[in-house]
Amino acid sequence: MTIQQVLLLLLLWMWLPHPCHTEMLFRRTPDLRPKSFGGRALGNDGKAIHRQKRGWMWNQFFLLEEYTGSDYQYVGKLHSDQDKGDGSLKYILSGDGAGTLFIIDEKTGDIHATRRIDREEKAFYTLRAQAINRRTLRPVEPESEFVIKIHDINDNEPTFPEEIYTASVPEMSVVGTSVVQVTATDADDPSYGNSARIIYSILQGQPYFSVEPETGIIRTALPNMNRENREQYQVVIQAKDMGGQMGGLSGTTTVNITLTDVNDNPPRFPQSTIHLRIPESSPVGTAIGSVKATDADTGKNAEVEYRIIDGDGTDMFDIVTQKDTQEGIITVRKPLDYETRRLYTLKVEAENTHVDPRFYYLGPFKDTTIVKISVEDVDEPPVFSRSSYLFEVHEDIELGTIIGTVMARDPDSASSPIRFSLDRHTDLDRIFNIHSGNGSIYTSKPLDREISQWHNLSVIAAEINNPKDTTRVPVYVRILDVNDNAPQFAVFYDTFVCENARAGQLIQTISAVDKDDPLGGQKFFFSLAAVNPNFTVQDNEDNTARILTRRNGFSRHEISTYLLPVVISDNDYPIQSSTGTLTIRVCACDSRGNMQSCSAEALLLPAGLSTGALVAILLCIVILLVIVVLFAALKRQRKKEPLILSKEDIRDNIVSYNDEGGGEEDTQAFDIGTLRNPAAIEEKKLRRDIIPETLFVPRRTPSAPDNTDVRDFINQRLKEHDTDPSAPPYDSLATYAYEGNDSIAESLSSLESGTTEGDQNYDYLREWGPRFNKLAEMYGGGESDKDTS
């Protein structure tokens, strides 16, 4: 504690009544009960003495808080009028803090506080006191209640709920504008003295702000405080108790005050004139540059709107306000041309969008600047005279005919010659071509409207001096129709006429189509190529015609089909015509004219057969034909099956052909043994390589003598085979070479068996094993047949 606080406590101690000298005050209370006879006592004066009940009444005890002495603090003394001082009475204390915080001397009744007491924790204590007989423990006085009240001292300084406050006030505010209120609290007793009376003062922040002493409201103290000069302020506020008198306790807090912006500054362009440049080839919408007016304000107070208010380029340029950067973006509104105009002057204005009427006196919240835009020359591509071209041409024009001309020029001041070309991706068939010098488009192939009615071309123009700088233009070529197609039947007509038809009867209505498309629409005319005695054509004059009969009755037996050539002509120039042929069948019809049959075969059938019978007959015929075909195929299969199937079929024939032969049968020959011994030919010997179709008796020829020339023998046999239709080959000449005389050792070949005279026995073949069974059956079969017969 400071010296001032100690002195203050001493003064208070002197002013207040000392509780250590405060004793119990009591008074006697007369007993109002009725007197009893037996209980009467006589005094010295002879009068009766009445016994009265005595009691005590307590005042408050006062105790100073925050006692710092070394001994227990004396509170007060309890005393009963029954106490004779002989120690027969005992004092008892109960209630708040009795026995712990407050103790009593049970003999003398002195009350002490055992420790320092803080009034801010508890302001008063309620206790109960009683005097009892120490020997009997009976109360000699009724229990009485008293209060110990704690006297406050200034031991708590004022405190603020926030250590740092944050507040704001608009700039340029008038003096006395309320900023914020701060409030401090003091834990001392506000009802006792000035310990809790707080006074506010400002320690830091003058002369800009002030504070009301009683309320703690902070107010502005200077006029026209400008945020652009200073935005942040720190103010220190002190709260002091004891009414601000010397010796009072104090507390402080900091208030950070910000000046908020108001629109008190107009926008200003940093330059009076701004120069911009742009190439003349810049397309519409290109950003040329930006202008910006500065504004010391912030937020919405600094928002600016730009516009062009004057100048010679108001129709050529636009300006757009960029909200995030607060810039004015100047863009191209129309195409530029260096050769037409090279310099434009604009007057641009910038104005605040949110103006505060309180600050009109500071001047107009807008500013202007001059923007000069220079157009730069560039090498521009050629420019066509039109954005697109449309040419119309008839499809019958001759090759090389010019259908139209495109024109282009160099827009630069130094004009350069232009070269034209066709984009071949738009003319894959190369139907057109273009003159590179003058842009004339002509045909290089015939045109046909019926194949393609429109051709969409793209013409490229390029400067000769700068071929990379090109321009394209679309060219649309429409092919006009010429009557170059003849009309034809619209569909294929399947027409018939009944045998019982009458003259003038309608058998078919025909129509026509034409690939051409005349402006007035199609008109067709129908007629016969020649006068027909059976039918006639009647034109309906609506691009259709009727085919009528000219006589009664037709006969399928005589003529089953009529061909009627019909000539179809159009009415455009030049007139085109074609002849279409109607095939008219003659059919049998019922009485209503419904067709029943048109086939001529039906005439050969009996009149009484029904359709079911005809179907059955046809099925039988088909079945018989199938059986015959199968039988013939099986017979041919058996005919061509060889008898010798063994892989060891050995032939010692030499075959020579003088012509191309007749197929597989050309390889069939004779046994060479016959040539060696012509007399050994068997009478009934058959061909051994195929199964004979019929058995016939071979012609018997006289045997040649042994010395007969072989050549004569061959010629004789050749004549026989030429006259024998069953002996192959049928279209070849078989010649056999003779190898000479026999060896002295004779031949070991089985071919020698043919040289023996008479019939040879082949039974030995059966003994050669299963591999010769086939030969045994072929050569031994004749004799076995004879034996069995």
Side-chain angles (χ1 to χ4, degrees):
M1 297 178 65
T2 63
I3 297 176
Q4 292 83 354
Q5 292 175 340
V6 172
L7 293 175
L8 181 61
L9 289 175
L10 291 175
L11 291 174
L12 290 174
W13 178 263
M14 295 172 62
W15 291 345
L16 294 175
H18 296 285
C20 58
H21 300 288
T22 302
E23 295 184 354
M24 176 187 65
L25 299 178
F26 63 91
R27 64 182 180 179
R28 299 182 184 276
T29 304
D31 190 359
L32 301 178
R33 291 178 295 176
K35 298 179 179 180
S36 174
F37 181 78
R40 180 180 301 177
L42 297 176
N44 297 328
D45 54 0
K47 295 183 179 179
I49 300 175
H50 300 282
R51 185 177 182 178
Q52 297 179 349
K53 181 177 177 61
R54 289 179 295 179
W56 48 24
M57 177 178 293
W58 304 95
N59 288 333
Q60 289 183 343
F61 286 155
F62 293 93
L63 183 64
L64 188 66
E65 69 169 333
E66 302 294 344
Y67 173 72
T68 59
S70 59
D71 297 332
Y72 288 164
Q73 186 179 4
Y74 182 73
V75 178
K77 183 180 180 63
L78 297 180
H79 184 72
S80 174
D81 57 358
Q82 298 294 327
D83 189 359
K84 302 299 183 181
D86 54 1
S88 61
L89 293 183
K90 180 181 180 181
Y91 294 97
I92 299 175
L93 187 66
S94 63
D96 295 339
T100 55
L101 179 58
F102 300 104
I103 60 176
I104 189 171
D105 189 339
E106 59 182 16
K107 293 181 179 181
T108 63
D110 293 331
I111 301 174
H112 291 82
T114 61
R115 60 181 175 82
R116 184 174 59 181
I117 299 175
D118 189 358
R119 187 201 66 84
E120 285 70 37
E121 292 181 2
K122 192 173 180 64
F124 61 91
Y125 297 86
T126 302
L127 297 106
R128 293 180 298 278
Q130 192 174 31
I132 62 174
N133 189 290
R134 185 180 297 273
R135 185 174 58 84
T136 63
L137 298 179
R138 291 183 178 180
V140 297
E141 295 287 351
E143 186 179 57
S144 182
E145 185 177 82
F146 65 96
V147 174
I148 299 176
K149 188 174 181 181
I150 310 302
H151 270 174
D152 181 46
I153 64 172
N154 189 18
D155 60 342
N156 292 278
E157 71 275 3
T159 58
F160 290 94
E162 298 289 341
E163 184 178 355
I164 296 177
Y165 288 85
T166 301
S168 63
V169 63
E171 63 174 333
M172 307 299 289
S173 297
V174 297
V175 175
T177 302
S178 175
V179 179
V180 68
Q181 182 180 14
V182 294
T183 302
T185 60
D186 195 324
D188 294 327
D189 188 1
S191 63
Y192 181 76
N194 293 326
S195 297
R197 184 186 173 193
I198 299 174
I199 297 298
Y200 300 94
S201 61
I202 184 167
L203 301 181
Q204 177 182 325
Q206 294 175 333
Y208 307 103
F209 300 94
S210 64
V211 63
E212 292 183 356
E214 300 293 336
T215 61
I217 297 176
I218 302 174
R219 299 183 182 273
T220 57
L222 284 181
N224 300 327
M225 285 192 296
N226 196 340
R227 183 197 65 85
E228 288 71 33
N229 296 331
R230 182 177 177 182
E231 185 176 4
Q232 299 288 338
Y233 295 86
Q234 190 176 70
V235 178
V236 178
I237 302 297
Q238 181 189 62
K240 190 174 184 181
D241 58 11
M242 298 297 295
Q245 297 178 5
M246 183 180 296
L249 303 178
S250 64
T252 60
T253 187
T254 300
V255 182
N256 292 326
I257 301 176
T258 302
L259 295 183
T260 59
D261 184 58
V262 297
N263 191 8
D264 58 340
N265 295 279
R268 291 290 181 262
F269 283 104
Q271 298 174 344
S272 60
T273 304
I274 300 174
H275 294 273
L276 299 175
R277 295 179 178 273
I278 184 172
E280 62 173 335
S281 60
S282 300
V284 174
T286 301
I288 304 173
S290 63
V291 295
K292 184 175 183 180
T294 59
D295 194 327
D297 298 322
T298 60
K300 69 176 184 178
N301 296 319
E303 292 182 0
V304 179
E305 187 72 26
Y306 297 91
R307 53 181 170 269
I308 300 174
I309 60 175
D310 198 4
D312 54 8
T314 55
D315 60 335
M316 299 295 297
F317 304 95
D318 279 331
I319 189 167
V320 180
T321 302
Q322 196 76 18
K323 294 298 183 182
D324 53 347
T325 61
Q326 291 299 308
E327 293 179 329
I329 308 299
I330 300 176
T331 60
V332 179
R333 185 176 181 181
K334 291 183 180 180
L336 303 175
D337 188 4
Y338 173 83
E339 288 71 26
T340 303
R341 190 179 184 90
R342 304 181 182 182
L343 181 65
Y344 294 91
T345 302
L346 304 176
K347 187 176 182 180
V348 177
E349 180 185 71
E351 183 180 11
N352 280 138
T353 56
H354 300 86
V355 180
D356 193 338
R358 297 177 300 170
F359 305 104
Y360 279 155
Y361 66 93
L362 296 177
F365 284 80
K366 57 186 176 181
D367 194 16
T368 59
T369 188
I370 301 299
V371 179
K372 293 185 177 181
I373 302 175
S374 298
V375 180
E376 297 178 344
D377 186 26
V378 296
D379 190 6
E380 298 177 88
V383 178
F384 283 95
S385 60
R386 301 179 189 174
S387 59
S388 63
Y389 292 86
L390 173 62
F391 300 137
E392 294 183 345
V393 60
H394 287 87
E395 60 179 327
D396 61 345
I397 62 173
E398 298 180 357
L399 295 181
T401 302
I402 296 177
I403 63 173
T405 302
V406 297
M407 299 179 63
R409 64 178 181 85
D410 184 4
D412 297 323
S413 56
S415 181
S416 174
I418 306 299
R419 182 184 299 275
F420 299 94
S421 62
L422 273 178
D423 185 355
R424 288 303 174 185
H425 292 90
T426 61
D427 185 27
L428 297 176
D429 296 331
R430 296 182 175 270
I431 299 175
F432 302 94
N433 212 334
I434 189 171
H435 193 282
S436 61
N438 58 22
S440 299
I441 301 175
Y442 56 92
T443 59
S444 58
K445 288 184 179 180
L447 303 177
D448 191 348
R449 188 200 67 86
E450 285 70 38
I451 296 178
S452 179
Q453 187 175 355
W454 286 90
H455 295 275
N456 300 326
L457 309 177
S458 180
V459 176
I460 304 172
E463 296 180 11
I464 295 179
N465 299 333
N466 187 12
K468 295 183 179 180
D469 205 357
T470 62
T471 305
R472 294 172 177 264
V473 68
V475 177
Y476 307 104
V477 181
R478 180 182 180 184
I479 310 302
L480 301 179
D481 185 38
V482 174
N483 192 26
D484 57 347
N485 292 278
Q488 298 177 348
F489 282 132
V491 296
F492 174 77
Y493 294 101
D494 185 11
T495 308
F496 70 93
V497 61
C498 295
E499 289 183 312
N500 56 357
R502 300 294 182 183
Q505 184 174 342
L506 174 65
I507 62 172
Q508 184 69 59
T509 299
I510 59 176
S511 62
V513 293
D514 194 336
K515 295 181 180 180
D516 296 321
D517 187 15
L519 297 177
Q522 297 284 5
K523 179 64 177 176
F524 302 124
F525 302 95
F526 301 88
S527 62
L528 293 179
V531 178
N532 191 292
N534 301 311
F535 306 98
T536 184
V537 174
Q538 183 177 353
D539 197 331
N540 295 329
E541 298 183 357
D542 60 354
N543 292 339
T544 63
R546 296 184 297 169
I547 306 299
L548 305 175
T549 59
R550 297 190 62 181
R551 64 184 179 87
N552 297 330
F554 294 86
S555 175
R556 284 181 295 167
H557 183 69
E558 296 177 359
I559 300 177
S560 61
T561 304
Y562 292 91
L563 300 179
L564 181 64
V566 179
V567 178
I568 310 173
S569 304
D570 56 22
N571 67 334
D572 204 359
Y573 181 81
I575 296 176
Q576 300 287 342
S577 63
S578 65
T579 300
T581 302
L582 283 177
T583 301
I584 305 174
R585 297 179 298 158
V586 180
C587 300
C589 304
D590 57 14
S591 59
R592 298 182 179 179
N594 298 322
M595 180 181 65
Q596 291 182 336
S597 176
C598 296
S599 59
E601 290 79 2
L603 298 173
L604 302 177
L605 297 175
L609 293 179
S610 63
T611 304
L614 293 176
V615 173
I617 293 174
L618 290 176
L619 289 176
C620 292
I621 294 174
V622 170
I623 293 173
L624 290 175
L625 289 176
V626 170
I627 293 174
V628 171
V629 170
L630 292 176
F631 179 77
L634 292 174
K635 189 173 183 180
R636 178 174 292 183
Q637 184 74 17
R638 294 182 60 192
K639 176 181 179 181
K640 293 185 179 181
E641 181 179 359
L643 295 176
I644 301 175
L645 300 177
S646 174
K647 295 182 180 179
E648 298 182 359
D649 182 18
I650 300 175
R651 305 215 179 167
D652 196 11
N653 301 334
I654 299 175
V655 183
S656 176
Y657 300 97
N658 294 332
D659 53 16
E660 295 182 355
E664 293 180 356
E665 292 181 346
D666 289 351
T667 61
Q668 300 170 1
F670 302 96
D671 191 356
I672 193 63
T674 305
L675 298 178
R676 296 179 179 272
N677 190 5
I681 186 172
E682 294 187 66
E683 182 176 357
K684 295 183 180 180
K685 190 174 181 179
L686 302 177
R687 297 184 61 191
R688 293 168 292 176
D689 53 352
I690 60 174
I691 299 176
E693 296 181 1
T694 57
L695 296 177
F696 60 91
V697 180
R699 292 189 303 273
R700 194 63 181 171
T701 58
S703 300
D706 293 338
N707 57 356
T708 303
D709 191 0
V710 174
R711 186 179 303 277
D712 295 337
F713 173 77
I714 291 175
N715 290 332
Q716 182 180 0
R717 287 302 176 91
L718 181 60
K719 292 180 181 179
E720 293 178 0
H721 282 285
D722 289 340
T723 58
D724 187 1
S726 62
Y730 307 106
D731 57 352
S732 62
L733 175 66
T735 61
Y736 304 92
Y738 183 65
E739 296 183 352
N741 297 326
D742 296 338
S743 174
I744 300 176
E746 295 184 353
S747 176
L748 299 178
S749 174
S750 60
L751 296 175
E752 286 294 336
S753 60
T755 61
T756 59
E757 294 181 359
D759 296 332
Q760 186 174 347
N761 186 7
Y762 294 96
D763 292 338
Y764 63 91
L765 293 176
R766 302 184 183 275
E767 300 174 0
W768 288 6
R771 301 179 66 180
F772 295 89
N773 289 341
K774 191 68 175 180
L775 290 175
E777 291 176 2
M778 292 174 57
Y779 293 95
E783 295 179 0
S784 62
D785 293 341
K786 294 178 182 179
D787 296 339
T788 56
S789 61

